[in-house]
Amino acid sequence: NIIGGTAITEDISAQIKVEKKLQISEEKYRTIFNSINEGLFIHDRNTGAIVDANQKGCEMYGYSFEEIVKIPISQLSKNKTPFTQKEAINFIKKAQKKPQFFEWHARKKDGSLFWVEVNMRLGEVSNIKRIIVTFRDINKRKNAEEELKISEIRYRQLVHGLQDPIIVHSLGKFVFVNDAAVKLAKGKKYSDLIGKNIIEFVHPDYR
């Protein structure tokens, strides 16, 4: 039957065209997906499972694509409160109502920990509602903040240990005093001095 044969040929031809378009569309999607200079994971919004990941995200954690879509969030996290599977799922639930922005202590394949800044939101991928997560490495910044905190603690310990009063002011108001300065202002506490005008503590004869 020539007519029947022609119809079948046209159906197959149309199907091939559709499949070709889908292939091109997938290639474009994958190219854009992997060109993003931030880590990007696509999660199932109900289970939290990773269903897709870009190249940058895989590289940051040290896993291949095939590995990362098979492991739980807990394996990619410090996995100690507040960085556990439970907390991650809570963020995913919240993201279905409004975008979430937070810092997360992550774990690489080799076991080393690092910090990431996470942006999580609900979106559609191939007409399916998913949780879209972008993240960037902020480990250097967090380490610098920790070093600064330690440095400030050491400085304060040193300054408070001095016998001489040390006063720091801005526009005539106390912004820092050491323990010796507090003792000099008899009957006063540290909180009684900070923010106050220096002139209040000067004898009237010397104002």
Side-chain angles (χ1 to χ4, degrees), residues 38 83 101-105 113-119 135-150:
E38 290 186 340
F83 309 105
F101 187 73
F102 56 94
E103 294 177 353
W104 191 257
H105 214 180
L113 298 173
F114 69 110
W115 286 95
V116 290
E117 191 173 68
V118 181
N119 195 321
F135 52 92
R136 62 190 183 93
D137 189 327
I138 58 167
N139 212 46
K140 287 183 179 179
R141 191 190 83 193
K142 293 292 287 186
N143 286 341
E145 289 174 355
E146 186 62 26
E147 287 175 8
L148 178 61
K149 190 184 295 182
I150 293 171

Side-chain angles (χ1 to χ4, degrees), residues 2 24 48 51 66 69 98 112 115 120 147 152 172 187 206:
I2 297 175
I24 293 171
V51 297
E66 291 73 21
V69 294
K98 65 178 182 178
S112 60
W115 286 95
M120 182 182 287
E147 287 175 8
E152 287 178 345
Y206 299 96

Side-chain angles (χ1 to χ4, degrees), residues 26 29-36 38-44 49-61 63-71 76 125 131-135:
E26 173 63 23
Y29 164 78
R30 188 57 53 184
T31 298
I32 295 170
F33 196 61
N34 285 323
S35 67
I36 297 171
E38 290 186 340
L40 200 163
F41 289 165
I42 307 295
H43 292 258
D44 182 288
I50 299 171
V51 297
D52 204 353
N54 73 344
Q55 186 175 337
K56 182 69 174 180
C58 293
E59 288 173 356
M60 285 171 67
Y61 281 88
Y63 288 96
S64 67
F65 173 81
E66 291 73 21
E67 290 174 320
I68 214 157
V69 294
K70 292 178 182 177
I71 58 180
L76 299 174
V125 180
I131 297 298
I132 301 171
V133 179
T134 55
F135 52 92

Side-chain angles (χ1 to χ4, degrees), residues 10-205:
E10 287 178 350
D11 285 344
I12 293 172
S13 179
Q15 184 179 344
I16 291 172
K17 286 180 180 179
V18 169
E19 289 176 353
K20 185 65 176 176
K21 285 182 179 179
L22 284 172
Q23 182 183 346
I24 293 171
S25 178
E26 173 63 23
E27 287 174 356
K28 286 181 178 178
Y29 164 78
R30 188 57 53 184
T31 298
I32 295 170
F33 196 61
N34 285 323
S35 67
I36 297 171
N37 199 34
E38 290 186 340
L40 200 163
F41 289 165
I42 307 295
H43 292 258
D44 182 288
R45 70 190 184 108
N46 297 312
T47 66
I50 299 171
V51 297
D52 204 353
N54 73 344
Q55 186 175 337
K56 182 69 174 180
C58 293
E59 288 173 356
M60 285 171 67
Y61 281 88
Y63 288 96
S64 67
F65 173 81
E66 291 73 21
E67 290 174 320
I68 214 157
V69 294
K70 292 178 182 177
I71 58 180
I73 299 173
S74 58
Q75 198 170 323
L76 299 174
S77 308
K78 186 177 182 180
N79 208 25
K80 289 184 180 179
T81 304
F83 309 105
T84 66
Q85 179 92 9
K86 183 180 178 181
E87 276 85 13
I89 295 298
N90 284 337
F91 275 119
I92 286 174
K93 288 178 180 178
K94 291 177 183 178
Q96 299 190 49
K97 295 180 180 179
K98 65 178 182 178
Q100 300 294 306
F101 187 73
F102 56 94
E103 294 177 353
W104 191 257
H105 214 180
R107 185 186 300 276
K108 296 183 180 183
K109 184 179 180 179
D110 64 10
S112 60
L113 298 173
F114 69 110
W115 286 95
V116 290
E117 191 173 68
V118 181
N119 195 321
M120 182 182 287
R121 64 194 183 281
L122 182 66
E124 280 196 11
V125 180
S126 300
N127 297 317
I128 300 174
K129 286 188 176 181
R130 301 290 196 190
I131 297 298
I132 301 171
V133 179
T134 55
F135 52 92
R136 62 190 183 93
D137 189 327
I138 58 167
N139 212 46
K140 287 183 179 179
R141 191 190 83 193
K142 293 292 287 186
N143 286 341
E145 289 174 355
E146 186 62 26
E147 287 175 8
L148 178 61
K149 190 184 295 182
I150 293 171
S151 177
E152 287 178 345
I153 290 171
R154 288 174 178 169
Y155 168 77
R156 286 181 179 275
Q157 288 174 339
L158 173 64
V159 171
H160 282 298
L162 296 176
Q163 298 299 313
D164 296 324
I166 294 179
I167 296 171
V168 179
H169 69 90
S170 176
L171 301 177
K173 293 184 178 181
F174 292 108
V175 293
F176 175 80
V177 291
N178 70 346
D179 291 346
V182 174
K183 288 179 183 177
L184 192 64
K186 296 177 181 178
K188 299 294 182 181
K189 296 181 294 185
Y190 183 83
S191 57
D192 293 331
L193 300 177
I194 300 303
K196 296 293 179 63
N197 199 308
I198 292 175
I199 201 70
E200 295 179 29
F201 299 89
V202 176
H203 191 281
D205 293 344

